[in-house]
mmCIF file of all heavy atoms in Angstrom:
data_model
loop_
_atom_site.group_PDB
_atom_site.id
_atom_site.type_symbol
_atom_site.label_atom_id
_atom_site.label_comp_id
_atom_site.label_asym_id
_atom_site.label_seq_id
_atom_site.Cartn_x
_atom_site.Cartn_y
_atom_site.Cartn_z
ATOM 1 N N ILE A 1 -132.114 -65.945 -77.223
ATOM 2 C CA ILE A 1 -132.363 -67.284 -77.760
ATOM 3 C C ILE A 1 -133.498 -67.922 -76.991
ATOM 4 O O ILE A 1 -133.363 -68.256 -75.797
ATOM 5 C CB ILE A 1 -131.101 -68.170 -77.675
ATOM 6 C CG1 ILE A 1 -129.878 -67.452 -78.226
ATOM 7 C CG2 ILE A 1 -131.322 -69.484 -78.418
ATOM 8 C CD1 ILE A 1 -128.563 -68.143 -77.890
ATOM 9 N N ALA A 2 -134.636 -68.045 -77.648
ATOM 10 C CA ALA A 2 -135.821 -68.692 -77.070
ATOM 11 C C ALA A 2 -136.304 -69.724 -78.058
ATOM 12 O O ALA A 2 -137.475 -69.762 -78.433
ATOM 13 C CB ALA A 2 -136.893 -67.653 -76.771
ATOM 14 N N ALA A 3 -135.382 -70.591 -78.476
ATOM 15 C CA ALA A 3 -135.610 -71.481 -79.610
ATOM 16 C C ALA A 3 -135.960 -72.897 -79.191
ATOM 17 O O ALA A 3 -135.782 -73.840 -79.979
ATOM 18 C CB ALA A 3 -134.366 -71.492 -80.499
ATOM 19 N N GLY A 4 -136.437 -73.119 -77.960
ATOM 20 C CA GLY A 4 -136.825 -74.444 -77.539
ATOM 21 C C GLY A 4 -135.674 -75.433 -77.642
ATOM 22 O O GLY A 4 -134.556 -75.132 -77.204
ATOM 23 N N ILE A 5 -135.941 -76.583 -78.232
ATOM 24 C CA ILE A 5 -134.903 -77.619 -78.296
ATOM 25 C C ILE A 5 -133.722 -77.210 -79.164
ATOM 26 O O ILE A 5 -132.662 -77.818 -79.111
ATOM 27 C CB ILE A 5 -135.477 -78.974 -78.785
ATOM 28 C CG1 ILE A 5 -136.027 -78.856 -80.198
ATOM 29 C CG2 ILE A 5 -136.518 -79.498 -77.815
ATOM 30 C CD1 ILE A 5 -136.358 -80.189 -80.841
ATOM 31 N N GLY A 6 -133.873 -76.162 -79.976
ATOM 32 C CA GLY A 6 -132.767 -75.680 -80.782
ATOM 33 C C GLY A 6 -131.813 -74.767 -80.038
ATOM 34 O O GLY A 6 -130.770 -74.377 -80.575
ATOM 35 N N THR A 7 -132.147 -74.450 -78.800
ATOM 36 C CA THR A 7 -131.349 -73.502 -78.028
ATOM 37 C C THR A 7 -129.933 -74.005 -77.792
ATOM 38 O O THR A 7 -128.963 -73.239 -77.884
ATOM 39 C CB THR A 7 -132.043 -73.207 -76.690
ATOM 40 O OG1 THR A 7 -133.338 -72.638 -76.951
ATOM 41 C CG2 THR A 7 -131.235 -72.239 -75.839
ATOM 42 N N SER A 8 -129.783 -75.281 -77.470
ATOM 43 C CA SER A 8 -128.447 -75.829 -77.149
ATOM 44 C C SER A 8 -127.480 -75.647 -78.297
ATOM 45 O O SER A 8 -126.322 -75.244 -78.115
ATOM 46 C CB SER A 8 -128.547 -77.315 -76.799
ATOM 47 O OG SER A 8 -129.241 -77.507 -75.594
ATOM 48 N N ALA A 9 -127.916 -75.946 -79.523
ATOM 49 C CA ALA A 9 -127.017 -75.853 -80.678
ATOM 50 C C ALA A 9 -126.620 -74.412 -80.949
ATOM 51 O O ALA A 9 -125.464 -74.123 -81.283
ATOM 52 C CB ALA A 9 -127.685 -76.459 -81.905
ATOM 53 N N ILE A 10 -127.559 -73.483 -80.812
ATOM 54 C CA ILE A 10 -127.255 -72.077 -81.069
ATOM 55 C C ILE A 10 -126.286 -71.553 -80.033
ATOM 56 O O ILE A 10 -125.276 -70.916 -80.362
ATOM 57 C CB ILE A 10 -128.554 -71.244 -81.100
ATOM 58 C CG1 ILE A 10 -129.434 -71.708 -82.258
ATOM 59 C CG2 ILE A 10 -128.223 -69.759 -81.248
ATOM 60 C CD1 ILE A 10 -130.829 -71.108 -82.236
ATOM 61 N N ALA A 11 -126.552 -71.837 -78.749
ATOM 62 C CA ALA A 11 -125.616 -71.411 -77.687
ATOM 63 C C ALA A 11 -124.281 -72.124 -77.827
ATOM 64 O O ALA A 11 -123.229 -71.557 -77.526
ATOM 65 C CB ALA A 11 -126.231 -71.678 -76.320
ATOM 66 N N GLY A 12 -124.315 -73.372 -78.303
ATOM 67 C CA GLY A 12 -123.089 -74.135 -78.484
ATOM 68 C C GLY A 12 -122.167 -73.563 -79.535
ATOM 69 O O GLY A 12 -120.953 -73.853 -79.557
ATOM 70 N N SER A 13 -122.699 -72.727 -80.418
ATOM 71 C CA SER A 13 -121.863 -72.118 -81.451
ATOM 72 C C SER A 13 -120.846 -71.147 -80.853
ATOM 73 O O SER A 13 -119.872 -70.781 -81.507
ATOM 74 C CB SER A 13 -122.722 -71.405 -82.496
ATOM 75 O OG SER A 13 -123.327 -70.233 -81.958
ATOM 76 N N ILE A 14 -121.066 -70.729 -79.589
ATOM 77 C CA ILE A 14 -120.054 -69.926 -78.876
ATOM 78 C C ILE A 14 -119.564 -70.686 -77.639
ATOM 79 O O ILE A 14 -119.134 -70.082 -76.649
ATOM 80 C CB ILE A 14 -120.589 -68.525 -78.497
ATOM 81 C CG1 ILE A 14 -121.838 -68.627 -77.618
ATOM 82 C CG2 ILE A 14 -120.862 -67.688 -79.750
ATOM 83 C CD1 ILE A 14 -122.240 -67.303 -76.979
ATOM 84 N N ASP A 15 -119.678 -72.011 -77.699
ATOM 85 C CA ASP A 15 -119.174 -72.903 -76.638
ATOM 86 C C ASP A 15 -119.830 -72.648 -75.275
ATOM 87 O O ASP A 15 -119.178 -72.767 -74.230
ATOM 88 C CB ASP A 15 -117.646 -72.770 -76.509
ATOM 89 C CG ASP A 15 -116.932 -73.216 -77.771
ATOM 90 O OD1 ASP A 15 -117.391 -74.189 -78.389
ATOM 91 O OD2 ASP A 15 -115.938 -72.580 -78.142
ATOM 92 N N CYS A 16 -121.116 -72.334 -75.299
ATOM 93 C CA CYS A 16 -121.849 -72.169 -74.047
ATOM 94 C C CYS A 16 -122.739 -73.382 -73.836
ATOM 95 O O CYS A 16 -123.621 -73.663 -74.656
ATOM 96 C CB CYS A 16 -122.701 -70.903 -74.100
ATOM 97 S SG CYS A 16 -123.709 -70.687 -72.611
ATOM 98 N N PRO A 17 -122.571 -74.111 -72.723
ATOM 99 C CA PRO A 17 -123.382 -75.323 -72.496
ATOM 100 C C PRO A 17 -124.786 -74.982 -71.998
ATOM 101 O O PRO A 17 -124.964 -74.341 -70.955
ATOM 102 C CB PRO A 17 -122.589 -76.070 -71.425
ATOM 103 C CG PRO A 17 -121.855 -74.994 -70.669
ATOM 104 C CD PRO A 17 -121.541 -73.919 -71.674
ATOM 105 N N ILE A 18 -125.786 -75.401 -72.748
ATOM 106 C CA ILE A 18 -127.183 -75.315 -72.325
ATOM 107 C C ILE A 18 -127.743 -76.727 -72.436
ATOM 108 O O ILE A 18 -128.300 -77.120 -73.466
ATOM 109 C CB ILE A 18 -127.984 -74.326 -73.198
ATOM 110 C CG1 ILE A 18 -127.378 -72.933 -73.157
ATOM 111 C CG2 ILE A 18 -129.451 -74.285 -72.760
ATOM 112 C CD1 ILE A 18 -127.452 -72.248 -71.809
ATOM 113 N N PRO A 19 -127.597 -77.536 -71.387
ATOM 114 C CA PRO A 19 -127.946 -78.961 -71.489
ATOM 115 C C PRO A 19 -129.449 -79.216 -71.417
ATOM 116 O O PRO A 19 -130.098 -78.911 -70.422
ATOM 117 C CB PRO A 19 -127.220 -79.587 -70.296
ATOM 118 C CG PRO A 19 -127.101 -78.474 -69.297
ATOM 119 C CD PRO A 19 -126.978 -77.203 -70.085
ATOM 120 N N LEU A 20 -129.985 -79.772 -72.479
ATOM 121 C CA LEU A 20 -131.373 -80.197 -72.528
ATOM 122 C C LEU A 20 -131.439 -81.706 -72.693
ATOM 123 O O LEU A 20 -130.529 -82.314 -73.247
ATOM 124 C CB LEU A 20 -132.104 -79.515 -73.699
ATOM 125 C CG LEU A 20 -132.067 -77.992 -73.761
ATOM 126 C CD1 LEU A 20 -132.799 -77.501 -75.008
ATOM 127 C CD2 LEU A 20 -132.648 -77.367 -72.515
ATOM 128 N N VAL A 21 -132.521 -82.293 -72.207
ATOM 129 C CA VAL A 21 -132.712 -83.732 -72.338
ATOM 130 C C VAL A 21 -133.877 -83.993 -73.289
ATOM 131 O O VAL A 21 -134.819 -83.203 -73.360
ATOM 132 C CB VAL A 21 -132.967 -84.390 -70.968
ATOM 133 C CG1 VAL A 21 -131.714 -84.314 -70.103
ATOM 134 C CG2 VAL A 21 -134.137 -83.736 -70.250
ATOM 135 N N PRO A 22 -133.831 -85.083 -74.045
ATOM 136 C CA PRO A 22 -134.927 -85.386 -74.973
ATOM 137 C C PRO A 22 -136.204 -85.765 -74.224
ATOM 138 O O PRO A 22 -136.188 -86.652 -73.381
ATOM 139 C CB PRO A 22 -134.381 -86.553 -75.802
ATOM 140 C CG PRO A 22 -133.312 -87.176 -74.959
ATOM 141 C CD PRO A 22 -132.735 -86.086 -74.131
ATOM 142 N N ARG A 23 -137.301 -85.072 -74.543
ATOM 143 C CA ARG A 23 -138.593 -85.370 -73.936
ATOM 144 C C ARG A 23 -139.710 -85.269 -74.995
ATOM 145 O O ARG A 23 -140.537 -84.377 -74.962
ATOM 146 C CB ARG A 23 -138.880 -84.409 -72.777
ATOM 147 C CG ARG A 23 -138.020 -84.596 -71.545
ATOM 148 C CD ARG A 23 -138.307 -85.906 -70.822
ATOM 149 N NE ARG A 23 -137.520 -86.037 -69.603
ATOM 150 C CZ ARG A 23 -136.322 -86.606 -69.533
ATOM 151 N NH1 ARG A 23 -135.769 -87.117 -70.645
ATOM 152 N NH2 ARG A 23 -135.668 -86.694 -68.386
ATOM 153 N N PRO A 24 -139.719 -86.181 -75.952
ATOM 154 C CA PRO A 24 -140.777 -86.143 -76.975
ATOM 155 C C PRO A 24 -142.116 -86.576 -76.371
ATOM 156 O O PRO A 24 -142.166 -87.300 -75.373
ATOM 157 C CB PRO A 24 -140.286 -87.148 -78.017
ATOM 158 C CG PRO A 24 -139.495 -88.138 -77.213
ATOM 159 C CD PRO A 24 -138.815 -87.336 -76.121
#
């Protein structure tokens, strides 16, 4: 998974926390 800001949601589908903060 090298999906940038989409990484958290994809990893979250198996309950794995990948915490990202919004930085537009």
